[in-house]
Amino acid sequence: MSRFRIAVHITPRRGILDPQGKTVADALHTLGFSTVRDVHVGRHVIVEVDAGTADSATALTREMCEKLLANPVTEDYEIASVEGA
Amino acid sequence: MSRFRIAVHITPRRGILDPQGKTVADALHTLGFSTVRDVHVGRHVIVEVDAGTADSATALTREMCEKLLANPVTEDYEIASVEGA
Amino acid sequence: MRFGIVTFPGSNCDYDAYQAVVETIGEEAVYLWHKDHDLKQSDVIILPGGFSYGDYLRAGAIARFSPVMQDVIAFAKRGGPVLAICNGFQIACEAGLLPGALLRNASLKYICEFVRIRVESNDTTFTNRYAVGDIMRVPIAHGDGRYTADDETLNRLEGDGRVVFRYAGGPADADEWWSPNGAMRAIAGIVNETGNVLGMMPHPERAVDSLLGSDDGLRVFESMLARIGV
Amino acid sequence: MQRLHSVEPRPGDPAITPALIAEHGLTVDEFDKLLAMLGREPTFTELGIVSALWSEHCSYKHSRPLLRTLPTDAPYVLQGPGENAGVISIGDGLAIAFKIESHNHPSAVEPYQGAATGVGGILRDVFTMGARPIAMLNSLRFGSLDSARVRYLFAGVVKGIGDYGNCVGIPTVAGEVAFDPSYEGNPLVNAMCVGLLHENELIRAVAQGVGNPIIAVGARTGRDGINGASFASEDLSAESEAKRPRVQVGDPFTEKLLLEASLELIRSGAIVAIQDMGAAGLTSSSAEMAARGDVGVTIDVTKVPVREEGMTPYEILLSESQERMLVVAKQGRENEVTAILEKWDLTAAVIGEVIAEPVYRVTEGDRVVAEFPGIRLVTDCPVYTPEAYESAEVVRLRAIDVSQVAELPEERDPLWTLKELLSSPTIAAKTWVHRQYDTTVRTNTVIGPGGDAAVVRIRGTERALAMKTDCNGRYVYLDPRVGAQIAVCEAARNVACTGGRPMAITNNLNFGNPKRPEVYFQLREAVRGMGEACRALGTPVTGGNVSLYNENPTGAVYPTPVVGMVGLIDSIAHITRSHFQEEHDVIVLLGEPDRNIGGSEYLSRIHGMVAGPPPACDLDGERALIDALVEAIQGGVVRSAHDCSDGGLAVALAECCIMDRGAQRGATVDLKHWRELPARALLFGEAQGRVVISTNMPDTVLSIAKNHGVPGRIIGQVGALDAPLHITTVANELSAPLAKLDEAYHEAIPRIMSRAAVVSP
Ligand SMILES: Nc1ncnc2c1ncn2[C@@H]1O[C@H](COP(=O)(O)OP(=O)(O)O)[C@@H](O)[C@H]1O
Ligand SMILES: [Mg+2]
C-alpha cells in the first residue's frame, strides 16, 4: 500500500447556466480586464488515498466522483493528476 | 491576439480549518472508501482570455488572482495550466 | 443626523437598516446607490446585509470594487463612522477596512436564529450605551460567518480591546470559544484600529422591536446618535 | 375570418412522424385536433408548442372541470384563479397576492436546483402581480429518512429552498414536512409565496393594445429545461434519468435584480402586462397573455437574447431558462423599460408585438415557423374526465377495526409511546430545516417557524397576516373527501390559533396518474371535499396548482392536496403563540376527543399500520371553533393556543410545554373526565376540531365557547419553568421530565441527519 494524492476538477457542465462564472467574468470586466472572454468556476478536490497502485487509486477516485464528489446531473469531472504522496 | 484558457487552483491556506474537506472525507468513509486519508476542497477557476502571448495571458491571470480571485488572508493560488484555446 | 445606507446589487437588508434608523431613533436615512460616487453628505455609512453580487466567488469579494466603495473607503480613512453588518462585514474585510476574513460556517450550513452575544467593549461609537458584559439577544442569518485571522492579528485585536462582540451562551459544557459558526475566539464583531469601522455578523437592525423578539440592538443606533448626533 | 399562412417545414427540422408525435406526449386524438385546428400538417416547431401548451402542467386537461367546482368568490377577492397569483384586499387600499406551486419532478432528479428554481418561479408569479414578496412557505414530502437517498433529497431540497429565498431576501416563515414511504422516489416540493401590494398597483398578465411591443426581460435563454412542462406530466421512471440535462439552474442573484426591476417597471406605468416565463417558457407566457387579452401576437425568435449559439426556434420557444420575464410595454415607452432594466444590470429586447390579426405567429427573421389561430391554441386544449372508482384496497383498509389492534408491551408506559411519537420525523421539531432559512429578514416576522401559523405584520397598519400550509396525505389516502376537508380546516385552525381570521386559500393538488381510475377518484373526491370545507369556512380558493403523475415504480404517492391558507389579524396586540406562557394559567381544551385512532400517526409509527377511517370532520363545528377562538383571542383572554393534529392531544400538550427551547414550562393535566374512552385514543387519537388553550380567564373563554356551541373543558394548569408534564387518565398516568420530551422532539431530525453521506452541493 502506498499513499497517492489525486487532484480532481469538477466543473459545471457545458450548456448549464453557470451564474458564478458569469458574475466573476462581469466583475473582471468592471475591474478593467477587458480581454476576459469567459470564466467558469468549479471545484478543485484533492483526495489522499492509500492504494496498491496508481491505477487502483485512480479507479477508486473515479468511483468517489461518480458516487459523491460530482453532481452527475449538473457537473463533469476529470482526474487532473495522480502523484505518489 | 489569441485566446488562452488558463486554469487556476485556489486552495484554503494550510492550517485554516477546511470543514468542507473534512465533511467530504467523512462522507467518503461512510460510503465505504475506508482508505481515504484526507480531502481538501478548493476552487478550480477557468479563465478564457485574449492575449498576445501565453506569458502575458499568465501575467494577466496572476493579476486577477491578486486582485479578486483569491483572498490573500486565507487562500493560496496557483496557475495550474495555460493552453491555447 | 443622516445615515447613508449602501444598496449593492443583491443587498437585502438595506431596507431593514433604513427602517431601524427611521422608525426607532427617528433620524434621517438615505439609500446610496452602488454605481454612484455620492455619499450624499451622510454622517454615518451602513454597509447592510444581503448577498451582494450573489456572494458568488466569495462573500463581499466583488462588492468591494463598486464605485461607491471607493468613497466609503475614503470616508472611513478620514475617520467617518461605518457600521458594517453581516454581508457588510464581509465586504469591509475584503476591502481591507477590517482585518481577517469571514469563511463558510463550520457546519457548512446557513444559520438563522436568535443568538446571545456579549458586549466586550463599550468604548466605541457603536456600543457606548451598553455596559461591558451586557448580553444581547440578536438574530444571525448567514452562511459565511466564521471569523478567521492569523494568531498575530487575533492577539492584536484582543490586546487593543477591538473585539466588540463575542458569541455567548453556547451549551453549558461548550469550551470557552463556542460560536454558532465556528468563528475564531467566538468573535462576532470587531472595530478597526481607529475605532470608526465596526463589523459584526449579528443583525442589530433586526433587533429593535420587542414585538419581533428583541430590542437589544436598539442601543447600537442610540450609541451612534449619542456620539455623533448633531 | 383569419387566414393562416401555409408554413413550410424549416430546413433541418425533423419530419413529423407518429414516433415524434408520441415522443411529444400527444395522443392520436390530440394530434387530430391539432390537424383540424391548423387545417394542415404542423411543423416541428408547432408540434413542440402544442406539446407544451397541451401538457397536463400547462393545460390542466384532467383537472379543469373539477377545479371549476371550487368556490372562488368573496367580497374581498380582487383576483381569483386564472392569473399568475390570486389577490385579496385587506383594507386600507392594501392587498395580498399569494400562490403555491410544485416542483416535484425536478426535485426528484436534482433536489437542490429543483427546489431552488421552484422558489424562484413562485416568487415571480407573485411579483408579476405588482406585489412585493413578504413571506415564503413550503410543504414537503419525502420517503423514510432511513434511506440515504432520501436524506440526500431532503438535505438538497431544504438547502435549495433556503439558498434561493435567503439570497433574494424574503423570509421563509412556515411550512410543513412529512415523511412516508409512499413518497419514496417521488418527493413533493411545494413552495408558496405571499406578497403585499397597493390595490391600485395590481397588474394582470393580459396582452393589450395593437402595436404594443413585446419585450423579453432578464436572463438570456439557454438550452436548459427544454420541454420541462411535458416532463412534469409523466411518471418518474428510469427514463427520467436520461432526461437529466433538462434540469435548470437557478440564479437567485439575478432574481433579486429582476424583482426590483419588475416592481419599478410596474410602478413606472410604461407597461401593460408582465408574466413570468415559467413552464414552457416563452411559448406559454406569450400564448397565455395573448389569449387573456383576446389579441394576436407575433414573435421573432432571432431577437431573443440567447446564451448559446445555434439555438433553433423550437429550443428558444420551449427553453425553461430561469429568471426571465415577458413584458408588453406601451408603444413608444420602450426606452423607459430598457433604462429601468439597465439600472439593474439586466437586458431587455423587443422580440415581437401585439397584432390585431387573431393569430399566434412565430418567425425566425422573415420565415414564419409557427402560426396558430390565436386563442384556440389555448382554449381548444382537450379536456378529459376519466373513469373513476375507489381502490378496493383502500376500501378494505378503511374498514379495518383498528380499535382491535393489540397494544405493544412497551405501551404500558404511555411516556414511551409519547416519546416515540415526538421523535417521529413527521412530528418532531423541524428546526434542522428552518434554521437554514432566513426567517427574520425584512423585520416583520412576529412568529416564524415553530408556531401554529406564521405571523407577519403589515408595516404602517395595526394588522398582521397569519399563514400556514397543511395537508395530511394519510387521511386523504384513506378517505379523499374527508382528508381534503381536514386539510382546509387544519390550516384554518392553525391560522386562527395565532388570532387570524382565515380569509382565502391557494392549493396544490399533488396526485398520481389521473388515467388510473383509483387516482382520478381521489382527485375528484378531494376537490369535492376541499370545496365543501372552503364554503363552510368562507375561505374561497384564489389559485393553485395541479401536479399529477407523482408516481414511482411502486405506485402513486399519497394523494396530497396541500392547502395554503392566509388570514388577517386585526390587531398586533392580539397575536397569540402556541406554547405555554405563564405558570398557573389554566389549560382549556376546546373540542372533544373521540375513540377513533384510524389514520393516526400513532398507528403508523407504533404499529406500522395505515388503516381505519381517518378522523371525522364536522365542518360546522370547525367553523364555530374558529369563530370562538378568534373572538376569545381578540377579547384578549387567551394566553396561548395550539391545535391538536398529528399525534393527538398528548403530543399537542407536550409541544405546548417544550416547543420554545428558551422557556419550557411543565403542566399538570387531568383527563379523567373522559372515562369511557380508551387511554390511547384519548392521548394519541387525532380527533379534529380541537385546540389547547392556556388562559388566566377560563370562565370567559368557556362562555365564549359556549355561545358558539363549541365544547370546552378545563383540563389542567401550566407549571413552572422546567417542571414536568403530568397527564392523568382513568387508565394510566404519564409523568414526563421535560428534558426527555425535549430530547425526543428536538434532537430526532438532527440525529438522523448527522449520519454522514449527505453532501449537498
Ligand atoms: N418546511 C418548513 N419550512 C418552514 N417551517 C416549517 C417547515 N416545516 C415545518 N415548519 C414549521 O414547524 C411548525 C410545525 O409544523 P406542523 O407540524 O405542520 O404544525 P401543525 O401540525 O400545527 O400544522 C410550524 O411552525 C411550521 O411552520
Ligand atoms: Mg398546529
Side-chain angles (χ1 to χ4, degrees):
Chain A
M1 281 296 217
S2 14
R3 177 83 39 103
F4 295 91
R5 202 183 153 76
I6 299 156
V8 185
H9 293 164
I10 300 164
T11 44
R13 184 160 301 162
R14 287 257 147 199
I16 276 191
L17 185 69
D18 175 15
Q20 189 161 199
K22 182 178 173 301
T23 309
V24 173
D26 289 349
L28 288 170
H29 290 153
T30 315
L31 286 180
F33 295 100
S34 54
T35 54
V36 168
R37 290 290 150 262
D38 210 352
V39 176
H40 292 280
V41 181
R43 273 168 295 140
H44 171 64
V45 181
I46 295 168
V47 180
E48 290 187 18
V49 63
D50 288 343
T53 64
D55 278 355
S56 71
T58 310
L60 214 56
T61 308
R62 218 169 264 289
E63 209 187 317
M64 296 178 209
C65 288
E66 300 282 345
K67 280 202 169 156
L68 181 81
L69 299 179
N71 181 333
V73 185
T74 55
E75 293 175 327
D76 290 321
Y77 72 91
E78 182 198 3
I79 309 277
S81 66
V82 184
E83 289 168 22
Chain B
M1 281 297 216
S2 13
R3 177 85 37 103
F4 295 92
R5 200 181 155 79
I6 299 156
V8 184
H9 292 166
I10 300 165
T11 44
R13 184 155 304 154
R14 288 259 150 197
I16 285 183
L17 186 69
D18 174 14
Q20 218 179 337
K22 189 176 171 308
T23 308
V24 172
D26 288 349
L28 287 171
H29 290 153
T30 315
L31 287 179
F33 295 99
S34 54
T35 53
V36 169
R37 290 291 150 259
D38 209 354
V39 178
H40 292 279
V41 181
R43 261 191 285 270
H44 174 66
V45 180
I46 296 167
V47 180
E48 289 187 20
V49 62
D50 289 343
T53 63
D55 279 355
S56 71
T58 310
L60 213 56
T61 308
R62 218 170 264 290
E63 208 187 318
M64 295 178 209
C65 288
E66 299 281 343
K67 269 202 168 163
L68 177 73
L69 300 180
N71 182 337
V73 181
T74 55
E75 295 172 326
D76 292 319
Y77 72 89
E78 181 199 2
I79 309 278
S81 67
V82 182
E83 289 168 23
Chain C
M1 188 173 156
R2 180 181 291 169
F3 289 73
I5 299 161
V6 178
T7 302
F8 298 102
S11 294
N12 60 35
C13 305
D14 44 346
Y15 168 82
D16 298 350
Y18 185 100
Q19 296 298 343
V21 168
V22 172
E23 287 178 0
T24 64
I25 55 169
E27 295 295 318
E28 189 190 352
V30 292
Y31 290 116
L32 307 176
W33 186 240
H34 67 108
K35 288 178 188 169
D36 297 340
H37 283 290
D38 184 1
L39 301 185
K40 301 188 180 166
Q41 269 132 29
S42 302
D43 302 299
V44 179
I45 301 296
I46 297 183
L47 300 178
F51 288 76
S52 53
Y53 296 91
D55 277 359
Y56 294 133
L57 194 62
R58 285 189 314 279
I62 298 177
R64 74 174 261 220
F65 294 108
S66 287
V68 74
M69 273 308 288
Q70 313 324 306
D71 303 270
V72 172
I73 291 168
F75 175 83
K77 296 249 154 85
R78 289 196 305 270
V82 177
L83 172 60
I85 305 166
C86 196
N87 193 226
F89 188 9
Q90 295 157 345
I91 295 167
C93 286
E94 286 280 344
L97 290 175
L98 291 167
L102 292 147
L103 304 186
R104 192 96 177 265
N105 292 347
S107 65
L108 301 180
K109 290 195 176 66
Y110 187 94
I111 302 175
C112 174
E113 65 189 6
F114 273 91
V115 297
R116 301 195 315 142
I117 57 174
R118 184 175 183 275
V119 178
E120 300 284 297
S121 159
N122 65 354
D123 185 19
T124 81
T125 305
F126 311 92
T127 52
N128 55 69
R129 287 297 175 100
Y130 295 91
V132 169
D134 276 356
I135 299 287
M136 304 163 62
R137 199 171 166 270
V138 192
I140 55 168
H142 59 248
D144 302 81
R146 175 165 50 108
Y147 185 73
T148 302
D150 55 33
D151 280 339
E152 193 190 320
T153 307
L154 292 170
N155 291 339
R156 190 147 28 86
L157 283 172
E158 306 231 28
D160 297 350
R162 286 163 53 199
V163 174
V164 180
F165 299 112
R166 249 191 252 277
Y167 298 102
D173 57 351
D175 63 42
E176 187 187 357
W177 301 125
W178 180 89
S179 66
N181 48 29
M184 286 181 162
R185 303 193 192 180
I187 288 173
I190 56 171
V191 284
N192 65 347
E193 235 162 292
T194 41
N196 60 310
V197 179
L198 170 71
M200 64 190 296
M201 288 314 296
H203 287 274
E205 83 286 13
R206 296 194 197 177
V208 295
D209 188 341
S210 52
L211 179 69
L212 307 186
S214 168
D215 60 3
D216 292 351
L218 191 53
R219 277 175 287 165
V220 168
F221 296 90
E222 290 171 349
S223 296
M224 289 189 277
L225 188 59
R227 185 66 63 91
I228 312 154
V230 239
Chain D
M1 271 316 282
Q2 62 208 53
R3 170 161 293 128
L4 293 178
H5 287 77
S6 65
V7 178
E8 298 296 315
R10 182 178 173 275
D13 278 352
I16 307 296
T17 62
L20 191 74
I21 295 164
E23 218 173 282
H24 280 75
L26 288 189
T27 64
V28 174
D29 285 351
E30 287 170 350
F31 187 71
D32 285 345
K33 241 180 150 145
L34 170 58
L35 285 180
M37 178 170 83
L38 291 175
R40 57 171 169 77
E41 276 274 304
T43 64
F44 177 58
T45 309
E46 287 168 338
L47 181 63
I49 290 173
V50 165
S51 153
L53 289 178
W54 291 4
S55 71
E56 191 71 54
H57 192 87
C58 290
S59 75
Y60 294 89
K61 57 188 168 188
H62 284 97
S63 57
R64 226 181 323 157
L66 299 177
L67 296 178
R68 284 211 193 92
T69 66
L70 292 169
T72 58
D73 282 339
Y76 47 80
V77 173
L78 301 180
Q79 176 64 57
E83 266 286 343
N84 291 331
V87 182
I88 57 172
S89 165
I90 56 166
D92 288 341
L94 294 172
I96 292 294
F98 65 108
K99 185 154 182 289
I100 193 166
E101 193 150 88
S102 63
H103 242 207
N104 304 340
H105 291 85
S107 303
V109 176
E110 218 307 284
Y112 179 83
Q113 295 296 347
T117 51
V119 171
I122 195 63
L123 271 163
R124 290 192 292 280
D125 276 344
V126 165
F127 69 71
T128 49
M129 301 302 295
R132 178 171 284 281
I134 58 169
M136 300 286 315
L137 299 87
N138 54 76
S139 175
L140 313 175
R141 297 293 182 282
F142 300 94
S144 160
L145 281 180
D146 292 336
S147 134
R149 171 76 188 167
V150 171
R151 294 199 295 276
Y152 167 77
L153 291 174
F154 178 45
V157 163
V158 167
K159 190 169 166 54
I161 290 175
D163 282 0
Y164 204 100
N166 297 348
C167 182
V168 180
I170 315 300
T172 301
V173 295
E176 48 152 13
V177 194
F179 303 88
D180 185 282
S182 88
Y183 302 103
E184 195 92 44
N186 198 130
L188 302 185
V189 177
N190 296 177
M192 170 170 164
C193 179
V194 179
L196 180 67
L197 68 156
H198 288 281
E199 278 183 28
N200 59 15
E201 278 165 4
L202 174 59
I203 180 167
R204 294 184 172 83
V206 180
Q208 277 167 340
V210 171
N212 278 339
I214 296 174
I215 304 181
V217 158
R220 289 171 172 272
T221 299
R223 286 198 173 93
D224 23 10
I226 287 169
N227 256 341
S230 324
F231 171 41
S233 309
E234 300 161 8
D235 298 350
L236 281 181
S237 64
E239 278 157 49
S240 317
E241 300 277 300
K243 290 176 178 162
R244 278 172 162 179
R246 288 178 177 178
V247 164
Q248 312 129 46
V249 170
D251 176 6
F253 168 57
T254 297
E255 179 96 344
K256 166 71 174 164
L257 303 180
L258 200 54
L259 157 64
E260 298 299 339
S262 299
L263 293 179
E264 210 169 309
L265 267 184
I266 292 166
R267 251 173 268 131
S268 74
I271 67 172
V272 297
I274 179 166
Q275 175 157 346
D276 170 31
M277 292 195 217
L282 179 53
T283 294
S284 69
S285 50
S286 54
E288 286 173 16
M289 284 214 281
R292 287 195 201 102
D294 201 1
V295 294
V297 293
T298 168
I299 284 171
D300 181 353
V301 292
T302 63
K303 304 268 176 61
V304 176
V306 289
R307 212 168 69 221
E308 294 168 68
E309 276 157 35
M311 286 184 69
T312 64
Y314 179 98
E315 290 172 322
I316 293 171
L317 284 163
L318 295 176
S319 158
E320 294 191 354
S321 289
Q322 298 290 298
E323 291 93 22
R324 298 178 303 155
M325 298 283 208
L326 195 65
V327 165
V328 181
K330 291 181 182 157
Q331 205 172 353
R333 297 183 69 175
E334 296 86 343
N335 292 343
E336 272 176 76
V337 173
T338 315
I340 289 172
L341 285 148
E342 268 172 11
K343 171 182 164 192
W344 293 100
D345 302 324
L346 294 169
T347 51
V350 174
I351 63 166
E353 75 178 72
V354 177
I355 55 176
E357 220 182 327
V359 296
Y360 179 82
R361 180 181 301 137
V362 181
T363 65
E364 183 182 24
D366 290 334
R367 174 205 302 275
V368 174
V369 291
E371 184 162 300
F372 293 94
I375 52 169
R376 282 183 57 194
L377 183 53
V378 176
T379 54
D380 268 15
C381 169
V383 171
Y384 300 105
T385 308
E387 190 189 359
Y389 52 75
E390 185 163 30
S391 139
E393 169 71 359
V394 170
V395 173
R396 186 186 69 77
L397 288 175
R398 196 172 50 225
I400 292 176
D401 180 1
V402 290
S403 70
Q404 298 305 314
V405 174
E407 290 195 13
L408 304 181
E410 293 92 331
E411 287 185 65
R412 242 168 278 142
D413 177 9
L415 177 55
W416 177 84
T417 316
L418 178 58
K419 283 195 305 186
E420 277 298 301
L421 288 177
L422 288 174
S423 58
S424 158
T426 295
I427 291 181
K430 305 300 186 298
T431 314
W432 185 91
V433 173
H434 53 73
R435 194 172 181 238
Q436 299 184 55
Y437 302 154
D438 192 339
T439 59
T440 50
V441 65
R442 298 198 70 75
T443 51
N444 289 315
T445 309
V446 183
I447 300 182
D452 269 53
V455 176
V456 175
R457 71 167 168 194
I458 309 289
R459 256 202 170 89
T461 76
E462 273 304 294
R463 281 165 298 157
L465 280 184
M467 53 199 108
K468 182 69 169 78
T469 51
D470 272 306
C471 179
N472 184 322
R474 198 188 303 132
Y475 297 167
V476 186
Y477 174 68
L478 289 171
D479 187 334
R481 182 172 165 200
V482 172
Q485 290 177 344
I486 291 178
V488 176
C489 293
E490 184 183 353
R493 225 157 44 222
N494 278 322
V495 162
C497 280
T498 63
R501 158 139 332 264
M503 291 190 73
I505 74 161
T506 178
N507 72 91
N508 206 131
L509 303 173
N510 303 278
F511 286 76
N513 181 344
K515 291 171 193 152
R516 295 202 293 127
E518 300 87 345
V519 171
Y520 190 70
F521 175 86
Q522 294 171 330
L523 180 63
R524 190 186 73 195
E525 293 304 299
V527 171
R528 179 162 155 220
M530 180 180 286
E532 288 164 341
C534 285
R535 272 188 208 94
L537 301 187
T539 52
V541 179
T542 63
N545 179 251
V546 180
S547 170
L548 303 178
Y549 304 95
N550 289 292
E551 306 230 348
N552 57 53
T554 61
V557 300
Y558 279 162
T560 312
V562 172
V563 171
M565 175 78 69
V566 293
L568 193 59
I569 298 178
D570 280 338
S571 165
I572 50 176
H574 295 140
I575 293 169
T576 300
R577 289 164 200 276
S578 322
H579 54 278
F580 294 145
Q581 305 283 316
E582 298 270 350
E583 192 175 354
H584 305 309
D585 277 352
V586 172
I587 304 171
V588 172
L589 178 68
L590 297 183
E592 275 287 315
D594 66 22
R595 55 179 55 247
N596 183 20
I597 53 171
S600 64
E601 185 71 18
Y602 162 82
L603 266 188
S604 158
R605 172 87 171 170
I606 309 291
H607 297 281
M609 267 184 94
V610 173
C617 184
D618 165 11
L619 293 174
D620 293 334
E622 295 278 2
R623 170 79 195 231
L625 173 72
I626 286 161
D627 289 344
L629 199 52
V630 173
E631 185 183 327
I633 290 176
Q634 286 181 354
V637 297
V638 175
R639 211 101 85 168
S640 75
H642 182 37
D643 93 310
C644 292
S645 56
D646 311 55
L649 182 55
V651 164
L653 286 165
E655 287 174 342
C656 290
C657 295
I658 59 171
M659 202 181 285
D660 179 3
R661 282 187 120 175
Q664 299 182 326
R665 292 185 174 279
T668 306
V669 175
D670 181 345
L671 303 178
K672 289 202 289 292
H673 170 76
W674 292 281
R675 43 188 60 253
E676 263 68 74
L677 294 183
R680 65 175 174 180
L682 183 51
L683 293 172
F684 308 117
E686 298 177 2
Q688 296 296 297
R690 293 184 298 164
V691 172
V692 173
I693 280 177
S694 70
T695 172
N696 60 342
M697 297 169 80
D699 296 343
T700 321
V701 170
L702 290 174
S703 85
I704 292 173
K706 195 163 174 223
N707 290 342
H708 288 275
V710 173
R713 176 166 302 277
I714 292 175
I715 58 169
Q717 208 178 32
V718 176
L721 284 175
D722 302 321
L725 167 64
H726 198 91
I727 305 177
T728 317
T729 72
V730 202
N732 57 18
E733 233 169 84
L734 182 158
S735 188
L738 292 195
K740 289 227 163 122
L741 302 180
D742 175 272
E743 217 264 336
Y745 184 71
H746 287 286
E747 299 299 337
I749 292 180
R751 193 177 312 119
I752 295 171
M753 294 309 289
S754 68
R755 293 185 206 160
V758 178
V759 174
S760 21

